[in-house]
């Protein structure tokens, strides 16, 4: 399992960002290998993030090369390059299926 944390700055207000996220939700729900995505506020105006939980590195890489990934900056009015951290899960505390 892979966790990808994308930190970005946006021109959108939180309300506007959530509207865009809801519009795009079905596209993310349909992604092969995406187990979960968390939309987060990072505590200052315009600072947001996405925490993706992938079943594998291959699924994450396929997404990063997809048309959907290529539309993120424009859809969320991102300013500057995002910060991306990728981590491999050693083990979960709880079984995700329970």
């Amino acid at each position: 399992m892979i966790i990808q944390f994308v930190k970005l700055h946006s021109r959108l207000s939180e309300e506007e960002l959530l509207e865009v996220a809801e519009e795009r939700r079905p596209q993310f729900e349909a992604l092969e290998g995406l187990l979960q995505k968390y939309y987060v506020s990072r505590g200052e105006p315009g600072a947001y993030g996405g925490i993706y939980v992938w079943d594998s590195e291959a699924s994450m890489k396929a997404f990063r090369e997809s048309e959907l990934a290529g539309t993120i900056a424009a859809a969320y009015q991102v300013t500057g390059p995002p910060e991306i951290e990728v981590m491999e899960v050693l083990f979960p505390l709880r079984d995700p299926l329970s």
Side-chain angles (χ1 to χ4, degrees):
M1 195 174 339
I2 302 293
I3 293 178
Q4 177 186 26
F5 186 12
V6 179
K7 301 174 191 175
L8 57 87
H9 283 84
S10 171
R11 291 184 187 94
L12 300 177
S13 69
E14 187 171 318
E15 184 177 311
E16 292 168 323
L17 182 121
L18 291 173
E19 286 176 17
V20 171
E22 279 298 328
E23 290 170 9
R24 295 166 59 87
R25 182 182 194 141
Q27 295 170 284
F28 282 91
E29 288 177 331
L31 282 173
E32 186 83 24
L34 181 61
L35 304 174
Q36 182 60 273
K37 180 178 180 187
Y38 299 96
Y39 297 82
V40 298
S41 171
R42 297 189 300 119
E44 61 183 64
Y48 304 107
I51 300 171
Y52 299 75
V53 182
W54 298 99
D55 65 353
S56 67
E57 187 173 352
S59 293
M60 179 188 68
K61 285 182 178 180
F63 166 69
R64 289 169 92 172
E65 296 170 3
S66 72
E67 183 179 332
L68 180 59
T71 65
I72 289 173
Y76 292 102
Q77 297 184 30
V78 175
T79 61
E83 265 184 71
I84 301 172
E85 285 185 71
V86 176
M87 297 154 268
E88 184 175 348
V89 174
L90 297 175
F91 72 95
L93 176 63
R94 294 183 175 87
D95 181 357
L97 302 176
S98 59

